[in-house]
Amino acid sequence: MRISKHAEFGLRVVTRLARDGGQLNIRELAEHEGLPETTVAKVVGRLRRAGVLNAERGRNGGYSLDRPADQVTLAQVVEAFGDRIFDQGFCTRMSDGDICAHDATCGLKPVWRGLGAVIGNFLAGLTVDDLVHGNVPHASHGPTALPVRDQRPG
């Protein structure tokens, strides 16, 4: 799984907006998050085009969440940046762009697809409001946790 830096910045920006509960301009967001204004401008532009943020122009303008924070999922924010939650294309990249020799009989593809589904469901099940209030389950006991098998030799 790979989340771009802009998607991470997007998560930080929407969390800041939800935490502050109102509208902030690019300068304020950049200052709060320690990011360059040009980067924040790109991030909020993508989030606005994806329908995650509203933009108000003018002297008192700024950005706010398009809907309540408990209705904006982390998956929606990440997907606003064109990031695939889990990229299965690494199999092709691992074989220098050629079709993998094991492509037709690969026993690992279902594992990677399942892992992608778990990650996607996890992010789709978390909202910006969850981040603001620290309601993020730990992997060992979260809703998508997998059973841990005893790894000791028989």
Side-chain angles (χ1 to χ4, degrees), residues 13-84:
V13 164
V14 297
T15 302
R16 171 60 61 186
L17 288 167
R19 186 175 291 127
D20 287 5
Q23 180 174 289
L24 296 172
N25 62 38
I26 289 173
R27 182 186 50 75
E28 293 166 327
L29 286 166
E31 187 176 292
H32 284 300
E33 294 305 318
L35 297 169
E37 288 184 29
T38 54
T39 299
V40 172
K42 290 176 189 173
V43 167
V44 297
R46 293 291 290 266
L47 291 169
R48 185 188 55 75
R49 286 189 297 280
V52 175
L53 297 183
N54 279 324
E56 188 172 316
R57 296 181 186 267
R59 180 176 169 97
N60 296 319
Y63 294 88
S64 60
L65 292 176
D66 181 58
R67 53 195 175 278
D70 64 352
Q71 294 177 22
V72 179
T73 70
L74 303 191
Q76 291 168 330
V77 175
V78 170
E79 289 166 358
F81 295 90
D83 291 1
R84 297 177 66 192

Side-chain angles (χ1 to χ4, degrees), residues 1 3 11 72-79 84-86 116-128 130-131 144:
M1 177 178 151
I3 302 281
L11 289 166
V72 179
T73 70
L74 303 191
Q76 291 168 330
V77 175
V78 170
E79 289 166 358
R84 297 177 66 192
I85 300 296
F86 191 80
V118 169
I119 293 168
N121 290 337
F122 184 76
L123 292 178
L126 287 173
T127 66
V128 173
D130 292 327
L131 287 182
T144 58

